[in-house]
Amino acid sequence: MIIAGLQKNSFIDFPGKISCVLFLTGCNFTCPYCHNPELARGEYPERIPLGEVIDFLSARQGMLDGVAITGGEPTLEKGLADLCKTINALGYPVKLDTNGSRPDVLRRLLDQGLVSFVAMDVKAPLDTYHPFSRHPDIQDRLAESIRLVMERAPAYEFRTTCVSPFINAETIKAIAKTISGASAWVLQAFNHRASCLDPEFNTGMDPAIPTETMQELKSLAAPFVECCTLR
């Protein structure tokens, strides 16, 4: 396996832990505002052999508390389960970032106890995912992943990037009903300075949602979940 990138220290990617972040490449979604376009397109910002990553993790035992795996979409990687096993064997819990499109992979990881924290993106109401995925069964797949996360993940959060025109008061209320009862929901601000998968998405009117509107969206979302935060 080749790792597309390694962030050696992070205080925010694995809640409550000092972690490193492994970036895997390739994504089955086409979110126009994606801020990791190279990874989404299957390109390698870096090319780090797995052995080098293992050596790094071995040397950092006692200094790092966990490993976050992100992308791209990590569940597309055939060697993901083996990667998690290797990381666990070194004494590190794994946090997985996923778009929720492959519940079969997520189920196997949870069944084997390979991930300790799941962060799943919920980008919009499940019946309006066509800007992100054209898969005919995407709504059912996402619903199953949400169920798995809420019922079986040791710890988790759902995440929604708040960006126009996809997120507003009505879409937040629709998403909230879908994940009602969840332990944690993070509303993420769009970074208008970041490059996007669609180069034209961020070149006209600023799609970022103002801070005061973010607070209003949080107020709408909070009654449906145990904890709603802005990030």
Side-chain angles (χ1 to χ4, degrees), residues 1-19:
M1 180 187 293
I2 301 294
I3 306 299
L6 167 63
Q7 181 179 338
K8 294 183 177 181
N9 292 284
S10 172
F11 295 92
I12 60 172
D13 284 276
F14 196 147
K17 298 185 184 299
I18 302 172
S19 70

mmCIF file of all heavy atoms in Angstrom, residues 1-19:
data_model
loop_
_atom_site.group_PDB
_atom_site.id
_atom_site.type_symbol
_atom_site.label_atom_id
_atom_site.label_comp_id
_atom_site.label_asym_id
_atom_site.label_seq_id
_atom_site.Cartn_x
_atom_site.Cartn_y
_atom_site.Cartn_z
ATOM 1 N N MET A 1 0.836 -1.200 0.000
ATOM 2 C CA MET A 1 0.000 0.000 0.000
ATOM 3 C C MET A 1 0.869 1.249 0.000
ATOM 4 O O MET A 1 1.875 1.305 0.702
ATOM 5 C CB MET A 1 -0.923 0.015 1.225
ATOM 6 C CG MET A 1 -1.830 1.253 1.299
ATOM 7 S SD MET A 1 -2.754 1.359 2.848
ATOM 8 C CE MET A 1 -3.843 -0.038 2.674
ATOM 9 N N ILE A 2 0.456 2.248 -0.790
ATOM 10 C CA ILE A 2 1.106 3.550 -0.795
ATOM 11 C C ILE A 2 0.187 4.547 -0.108
ATOM 12 O O ILE A 2 -1.006 4.633 -0.407
ATOM 13 C CB ILE A 2 1.400 4.023 -2.231
ATOM 14 C CG1 ILE A 2 2.301 3.022 -2.954
ATOM 15 C CG2 ILE A 2 2.026 5.410 -2.226
ATOM 16 C CD1 ILE A 2 3.693 2.917 -2.382
ATOM 17 N N ILE A 3 0.726 5.276 0.853
ATOM 18 C CA ILE A 3 -0.032 6.316 1.556
ATOM 19 C C ILE A 3 0.145 7.624 0.801
ATOM 20 O O ILE A 3 1.264 7.996 0.427
ATOM 21 C CB ILE A 3 0.452 6.456 3.013
ATOM 22 C CG1 ILE A 3 0.419 5.087 3.723
ATOM 23 C CG2 ILE A 3 -0.385 7.485 3.759
ATOM 24 C CD1 ILE A 3 -0.938 4.457 3.825
ATOM 25 N N ALA A 4 -0.958 8.331 0.572
ATOM 26 C CA ALA A 4 -0.908 9.558 -0.227
ATOM 27 C C ALA A 4 -0.433 10.760 0.570
ATOM 28 O O ALA A 4 -0.083 11.789 -0.013
ATOM 29 C CB ALA A 4 -2.282 9.851 -0.827
ATOM 30 N N GLY A 5 -0.415 10.664 1.884
ATOM 31 C CA GLY A 5 0.055 11.776 2.699
ATOM 32 C C GLY A 5 0.062 11.392 4.169
ATOM 33 O O GLY A 5 -0.675 10.501 4.604
ATOM 34 N N LEU A 6 0.906 12.043 4.949
ATOM 35 C CA LEU A 6 1.016 11.806 6.377
ATOM 36 C C LEU A 6 1.169 13.142 7.097
ATOM 37 O O LEU A 6 2.126 13.880 6.842
ATOM 38 C CB LEU A 6 2.213 10.907 6.694
ATOM 39 C CG LEU A 6 2.645 10.798 8.166
ATOM 40 C CD1 LEU A 6 1.536 10.176 9.014
ATOM 41 C CD2 LEU A 6 3.933 9.995 8.292
ATOM 42 N N GLN A 7 0.201 13.445 7.948
ATOM 43 C CA GLN A 7 0.326 14.596 8.846
ATOM 44 C C GLN A 7 0.775 14.046 10.198
ATOM 45 O O GLN A 7 0.067 13.250 10.816
ATOM 46 C CB GLN A 7 -1.006 15.335 8.972
ATOM 47 C CG GLN A 7 -0.953 16.568 9.868
ATOM 48 C CD GLN A 7 -2.284 17.289 9.938
ATOM 49 O OE1 GLN A 7 -3.129 17.150 9.059
ATOM 50 N NE2 GLN A 7 -2.482 18.055 10.996
ATOM 51 N N LYS A 8 1.944 14.458 10.647
ATOM 52 C CA LYS A 8 2.575 13.786 11.779
ATOM 53 C C LYS A 8 1.952 14.111 13.119
ATOM 54 O O LYS A 8 2.045 13.309 14.056
ATOM 55 C CB LYS A 8 4.066 14.115 11.794
ATOM 56 C CG LYS A 8 4.815 13.548 10.587
ATOM 57 C CD LYS A 8 6.297 13.820 10.658
ATOM 58 C CE LYS A 8 7.030 13.190 9.476
ATOM 59 N NZ LYS A 8 8.492 13.419 9.522
ATOM 60 N N ASN A 9 1.305 15.267 13.236
ATOM 61 C CA ASN A 9 0.679 15.641 14.504
ATOM 62 C C ASN A 9 -0.611 16.393 14.237
ATOM 63 O O ASN A 9 -0.656 17.268 13.377
ATOM 64 C CB ASN A 9 1.600 16.541 15.343
ATOM 65 C CG ASN A 9 2.825 15.811 15.846
ATOM 66 O OD1 ASN A 9 2.741 15.037 16.779
ATOM 67 N ND2 ASN A 9 3.961 16.053 15.211
ATOM 68 N N SER A 10 -1.648 16.037 14.982
ATOM 69 C CA SER A 10 -2.913 16.756 14.899
ATOM 70 C C SER A 10 -3.593 16.723 16.263
ATOM 71 O O SER A 10 -3.628 15.685 16.927
ATOM 72 C CB SER A 10 -3.842 16.134 13.854
ATOM 73 O OG SER A 10 -5.123 16.721 13.914
ATOM 74 N N PHE A 11 -4.142 17.878 16.647
ATOM 75 C CA PHE A 11 -4.886 17.968 17.903
ATOM 76 C C PHE A 11 -6.391 18.014 17.654
ATOM 77 O O PHE A 11 -7.163 18.118 18.608
ATOM 78 C CB PHE A 11 -4.454 19.211 18.683
ATOM 79 C CG PHE A 11 -3.020 19.160 19.145
ATOM 80 C CD1 PHE A 11 -2.002 19.680 18.367
ATOM 81 C CD2 PHE A 11 -2.682 18.573 20.361
ATOM 82 C CE1 PHE A 11 -0.680 19.633 18.780
ATOM 83 C CE2 PHE A 11 -1.367 18.507 20.787
ATOM 84 C CZ PHE A 11 -0.359 19.042 19.995
ATOM 85 N N ILE A 12 -6.826 17.961 16.389
ATOM 86 C CA ILE A 12 -8.241 18.155 16.087
ATOM 87 C C ILE A 12 -8.865 17.010 15.291
ATOM 88 O O ILE A 12 -10.091 16.906 15.241
ATOM 89 C CB ILE A 12 -8.466 19.474 15.309
ATOM 90 C CG1 ILE A 12 -7.709 19.461 13.983
ATOM 91 C CG2 ILE A 12 -8.058 20.675 16.151
ATOM 92 C CD1 ILE A 12 -8.031 20.645 13.089
ATOM 93 N N ASP A 13 -8.072 16.143 14.679
ATOM 94 C CA ASP A 13 -8.641 15.138 13.783
ATOM 95 C C ASP A 13 -9.212 13.924 14.502
ATOM 96 O O ASP A 13 -10.081 13.243 13.945
ATOM 97 C CB ASP A 13 -7.594 14.697 12.765
ATOM 98 C CG ASP A 13 -7.390 15.725 11.674
ATOM 99 O OD1 ASP A 13 -8.173 15.711 10.705
ATOM 100 O OD2 ASP A 13 -6.481 16.566 11.799
ATOM 101 N N PHE A 14 -8.741 13.635 15.698
ATOM 102 C CA PHE A 14 -9.238 12.496 16.478
ATOM 103 C C PHE A 14 -9.667 13.071 17.820
ATOM 104 O O PHE A 14 -8.837 13.359 18.677
ATOM 105 C CB PHE A 14 -8.130 11.467 16.657
ATOM 106 C CG PHE A 14 -8.585 10.091 17.103
ATOM 107 C CD1 PHE A 14 -7.908 8.959 16.668
ATOM 108 C CD2 PHE A 14 -9.660 9.929 17.958
ATOM 109 C CE1 PHE A 14 -8.293 7.687 17.070
ATOM 110 C CE2 PHE A 14 -10.066 8.667 18.366
ATOM 111 C CZ PHE A 14 -9.376 7.550 17.924
ATOM 112 N N PRO A 15 -10.970 13.297 18.026
ATOM 113 C CA PRO A 15 -11.434 13.987 19.242
ATOM 114 C C PRO A 15 -10.849 13.394 20.521
ATOM 115 O O PRO A 15 -10.909 12.184 20.748
ATOM 116 C CB PRO A 15 -12.952 13.799 19.177
ATOM 117 C CG PRO A 15 -13.239 13.740 17.713
ATOM 118 C CD PRO A 15 -12.083 12.966 17.124
ATOM 119 N N GLY A 16 -10.255 14.272 21.328
ATOM 120 C CA GLY A 16 -9.712 13.874 22.615
ATOM 121 C C GLY A 16 -8.343 13.240 22.563
ATOM 122 O O GLY A 16 -7.826 12.816 23.609
ATOM 123 N N LYS A 17 -7.733 13.165 21.373
ATOM 124 C CA LYS A 17 -6.447 12.493 21.264
ATOM 125 C C LYS A 17 -5.475 13.303 20.404
ATOM 126 O O LYS A 17 -5.885 14.030 19.496
ATOM 127 C CB LYS A 17 -6.617 11.103 20.639
ATOM 128 C CG LYS A 17 -7.479 10.156 21.465
ATOM 129 C CD LYS A 17 -7.497 8.778 20.866
ATOM 130 C CE LYS A 17 -8.437 7.861 21.639
ATOM 131 N NZ LYS A 17 -8.025 7.693 23.033
ATOM 132 N N ILE A 18 -4.198 13.143 20.707
ATOM 133 C CA ILE A 18 -3.150 13.622 19.803
ATOM 134 C C ILE A 18 -2.915 12.511 18.793
ATOM 135 O O ILE A 18 -2.606 11.383 19.156
ATOM 136 C CB ILE A 18 -1.854 13.934 20.571
ATOM 137 C CG1 ILE A 18 -2.100 14.986 21.656
ATOM 138 C CG2 ILE A 18 -0.766 14.404 19.611
ATOM 139 C CD1 ILE A 18 -0.925 15.197 22.582
ATOM 140 N N SER A 19 -3.090 12.834 17.538
ATOM 141 C CA SER A 19 -3.032 11.786 16.522
ATOM 142 C C SER A 19 -2.127 12.197 15.376
ATOM 143 O O SER A 19 -1.705 13.358 15.259
ATOM 144 C CB SER A 19 -4.434 11.498 15.974
ATOM 145 O OG SER A 19 -4.902 12.588 15.194
#
